[in-house]
């Protein structure tokens, strides 16, 4: 069975966004008098939405709802004004997405990043019409690893879960794929690394974007 659709995670999969994420959250933290975590720490705690990131970036003694909400608000405001200062697609990704489109493969982006920022980053860094759908975190919609948004994408594209490949760099993406009954393809070049993906149960892990094209006609789950 050929895969008819590929759903990509954004941060750490399509685009290296970690410096912009860190800059935005650090702005929020420092505006409230809190220290900025290291860039390495951010790679370990991103992926669950900006409010959760704010909570994890704060000292344990300051993780009350009021403080988390205040830092989140400041960070989100900064990020909206500076969505892609440092961000860049991973080498080879734009070419792979372009080839997928030429092969008439349906493509989507599903991120736990705010919907508006996700759309801005994709529009800035990829050619027009690179993806059929780009969806980020939205109010009243459960974020990954809940499968709701994945199923919405598949319904919109008229594709069954078995015909879809979910590509991501984190344990959250693997869990999302499994919850939606899609194949889970892990990418080792992202924020989490191969070991995390192996432990999460990724169906397969690749080291180069070009391998996505090679796998399009192969089922491995």
């Amino acid at each position: 069975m050929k895969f008819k659709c590929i759903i990509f995670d954004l941060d750490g999969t399509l685009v290296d966004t970690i410096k912009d994420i860190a800059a935005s959250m650090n702005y929020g933290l420092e505006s409230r008098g809190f220290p900025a975590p290291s860039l390495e720490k951010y790679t370990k705690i991103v992926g669950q939405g900006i409010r959760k990131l704010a909570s994890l970036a704060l000292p344990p003694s300051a993780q009350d709802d009021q403080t988390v909400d205040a830092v989140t608000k400041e960070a989100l405001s900064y990020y909206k004004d500076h969505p892609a200062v440092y961000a860049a697609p991973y080498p080879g990704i734009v070419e792979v997405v372009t080839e997928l489109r030429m092969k008439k493969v349906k493509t989507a982006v599903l991120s736990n990043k705010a919907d508006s920022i996700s759309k801005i980053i994709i529009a800035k860094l990829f050619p027009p019409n690179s993806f059929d759908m780009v969806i980020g975190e939205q109010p009243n919609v459960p974020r990954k690893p809940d499968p709701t948004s994945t199923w919405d994408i598949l319904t919109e594209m008229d594709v069954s879960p078995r015909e879809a490949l979910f590509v991501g760099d984190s344990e959250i993406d693997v869990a999302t794929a499994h919850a939606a009954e899609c194949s889970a393809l892990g990418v080792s070049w992202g924020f989490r690394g191969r070991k995390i993906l192996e432990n999460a149960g990724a169906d397969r892990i690749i080291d180069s974007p070009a391998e996505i094209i090679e796998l399009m006609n192969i089922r491995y789950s």
Side-chain angles (χ1 to χ4, degrees):
M1 181 186 295
K2 293 182 179 181
F3 290 114
K4 296 181 179 179
C5 170
I6 297 186
I7 302 174
F8 291 95
D9 168 55
L10 175 54
D11 301 300
T13 300
L14 291 172
V15 181
D16 185 353
T17 54
I18 198 65
K19 290 183 179 179
D20 288 320
I21 292 171
S24 300
M25 188 52 62
N26 288 346
Y27 178 87
L29 291 166
E30 291 169 354
S31 71
R32 298 287 167 167
F34 296 105
S38 67
L39 197 62
E40 181 182 2
K41 180 174 179 177
Y42 278 115
T43 66
K44 298 176 181 178
I45 62 176
V46 296
Q48 301 178 71
I50 192 166
R51 190 181 189 281
K52 182 64 172 179
L53 181 62
S55 177
L56 294 173
L58 282 162
S61 60
Q63 293 175 353
D64 58 278
D65 286 344
Q66 183 176 356
T67 302
V68 171
D69 287 343
V71 170
T72 299
K73 182 179 179 179
E74 295 288 351
L76 187 58
S77 176
Y78 183 94
Y79 206 173
K80 286 180 177 178
D81 292 334
H82 307 83
V85 176
Y86 304 105
Y90 287 99
I93 278 290
V94 173
E95 292 79 3
V96 164
V97 172
T98 299
E99 186 168 349
L100 290 172
R101 300 299 283 171
M102 291 175 61
K103 293 179 179 293
K104 308 300 183 184
V105 177
K106 297 176 181 179
T107 56
V109 177
L110 179 58
S111 177
N112 279 343
K113 186 188 295 295
D115 186 68
S116 59
I117 297 175
S118 298
K119 287 178 168 62
I120 290 170
I121 291 173
I122 291 297
K124 182 173 182 178
L125 299 180
F126 287 83
N129 304 313
S130 289
F131 301 95
D132 293 289
M133 300 176 68
V134 177
I135 298 177
E137 183 179 17
Q138 303 176 74
N140 303 317
V141 179
R143 66 176 68 90
K144 297 183 296 182
D146 186 282
T148 300
S149 292
T150 303
W151 284 333
D152 288 344
I153 290 171
L154 298 179
T155 299
E156 180 69 23
M157 294 188 175
D158 192 25
V159 174
S160 72
R162 284 184 54 79
E163 296 171 319
L165 182 63
F166 199 110
V167 183
D169 72 309
S170 77
E171 69 280 11
I172 297 167
D173 299 310
V174 174
T176 306
H178 289 166
E181 301 182 352
C182 301
S183 293
L185 179 63
V187 303
S188 66
W189 59 78
F191 300 156
R192 295 289 205 270
R194 177 176 285 272
K195 189 64 176 178
I196 294 292
L197 293 167
E198 289 175 349
N199 292 340
D203 296 308
R204 186 158 179 163
I205 303 170
I206 60 174
D207 301 311
S208 167
E211 294 180 65
I212 295 172
I213 301 298
E214 299 171 9
L215 293 172
M216 281 308 298
N217 294 331
I218 302 173
R219 289 212 51 92
Y220 49 85
S221 65

